[in-house]
Amino acid sequence: MTKTLMTTVAALALCGTAATAQTVGFSQIGSESGWRAAETTLTRQQAEKRGYQLQFSDAQQRQENQIAAIRSFVAQGVDAILLAPVVATGWDSVLQEAQEAEIPVVLLDRRVDSSEDLYLTAVGSDLVHEGEVAGQWLVDQVEGEDCRIVELQGTTGSSPAIDRKAGFEAAIADHENLEIVRSQTGDFTRAQGKEVMESFLQAENGGADICALYAHNDDMAVGAIQAIKEAGLAPGEDILVVSIDAVPDIFQAMAAGEANATVELTPNMAGPAFDALEAYWADGTEPEKFIQTESRLYTQADDPQGEYDRRKDLGY
Ligand code: GZL
């Protein structure tokens, strides 16, 4: 049988399966941040719009729950699996099980250290670049003045926590006036962001010795802003605040002068993921192993109230 005829036959066979609704398993990390909630909302909307049945699993930020969910999806014989991996390590065996079941896996918004042969593609931003953009904004903002920085890291062992730290450090490396004096995980949540910032303030002369906060996501920054205010200081002025995600509430803080800059991360990772899966299902098209989404800096000069109004109903 010629290659063209084989491709046609394969496409026709797949079309037959495409006539029945594809079932997609989605192992989501949890609902730890506004951005995560928006990613879930948009994934559900994309699945509904494209006629897929979405099997959703919320792992409560525990890798063992994600691994169990993937095994359940494999047992169900789903047509594809979306995985937002809470941490970067420990996925080889369960991804091999999905591969042996010939179920394509697409990674969303975070990366894994497994071989790229074990997943169809990964959709996400350049997390190192996000950290670099945040760091460069602070370099430009302080204009050579000494600046003692405190850092709220994301979930320990997650690719955004590793990469956003690396990118920020790279951006400030050649500027001796900028120094990260305290750094600790706030696990991407508001509550822990507030709690850790309280400890930073206490340890740094009530906050008088802190020039800036770099938070790996806006939710930890919003929690920290509350702590800074409760300590009697003005966030955005006494302590500069730069973070990542561009969720509505950081724009509300910016409009109030309580936050200074955020780097946007699109929550619509599912759109490019489903596009890649549809091409793969149609004729076996293998996508690039990384589909990059855009990042953009927003500051108080970028109509924060308008950005809040534009985003507040997008499912965050
Ligand atoms: C980054 C993403 C992060 C968000 C946080 O790609 O995984 O996880 O920045 C979320 O808000 O918790």
Side-chain angles (χ1 to χ4, degrees), residues 49-101:
K49 176 178 141 188
R50 300 170 189 240
Y52 301 142
Q53 187 187 351
L54 191 72
Q55 302 278 7
F56 180 77
S57 164
D58 176 329
Q60 309 287 318
Q61 283 193 284
R62 298 172 68 89
Q63 181 177 29
E64 60 269 29
N65 292 344
Q66 291 201 280
I67 290 171
I70 294 167
R71 288 197 165 119
S72 166
F73 296 149
V74 170
Q76 291 174 52
V78 297
D79 297 291
I81 292 171
L82 302 180
L83 169 63
V86 60
V87 292
T89 57
W91 301 98
D92 288 359
S93 56
V94 75
L95 291 177
Q96 279 157 2
E97 291 166 33
Q99 188 176 65
E100 283 155 17

Side-chain angles (χ1 to χ4, degrees), residues 32-33 35-36 109-110 127 160 164 188 216-217 245 265:
E32 74 281 0
S33 71
W35 184 91
R36 184 68 55 197
D109 83 78
R110 294 188 187 179
L127 296 159
R164 287 172 177 172
F188 284 129
H216 290 186
N217 81 332
D245 278 354
L265 173 74

Side-chain angles (χ1 to χ4, degrees), residues 144-300:
E145 294 294 312
D146 284 350
C147 187
R148 292 165 56 84
I149 305 159
V150 294
E151 178 184 28
L152 288 170
Q153 295 183 36
T155 301
T156 303
S158 68
S159 60
I162 294 164
D163 290 353
R164 287 172 177 172
K165 181 170 187 54
F168 186 90
E169 289 175 345
I172 69 170
D174 297 338
H175 302 273
E176 289 179 358
N177 58 309
L178 289 158
E179 182 192 2
I180 297 175
V181 295
R182 293 188 187 275
S183 181
Q184 191 177 326
T185 183
D187 209 18
F188 284 129
T189 70
R190 292 188 186 202
Q192 290 185 60
K194 181 173 189 286
E195 192 181 312
V196 174
M197 189 67 202
E198 285 164 351
S199 69
F200 287 164
L201 290 160
Q202 202 164 18
E204 290 293 328
N205 191 15
D209 296 345
I210 300 173
C211 152
L213 162 67
Y214 167 49
H216 290 186
N217 81 332
D218 294 341
D219 279 64
M220 292 190 291
V222 169
I225 285 167
Q226 189 56 37
I228 295 168
K229 290 161 75 171
E230 288 173 3
L233 296 173
E237 294 173 35
D238 297 328
I239 296 177
L240 297 172
V241 178
V242 54
S243 55
I244 301 170
D245 278 354
V247 301
D249 285 353
I250 204 67
F251 288 107
Q252 200 163 43
M254 250 188 239
E258 296 176 349
N260 303 91
T262 186
V263 183
E264 182 175 39
L265 173 74
T266 174
N268 180 18
M269 304 282 180
F274 285 135
D275 289 345
L277 279 167
E278 284 158 14
Y280 178 72
W281 283 329
D283 58 16
T285 301
E286 292 278 350
E288 293 297 319
K289 282 299 180 181
F290 180 48
I291 299 171
Q292 184 175 330
T293 59
E294 289 311 304
S295 312
R296 185 200 142 175
L297 178 70
Y298 285 88
T299 69
Q300 290 179 0

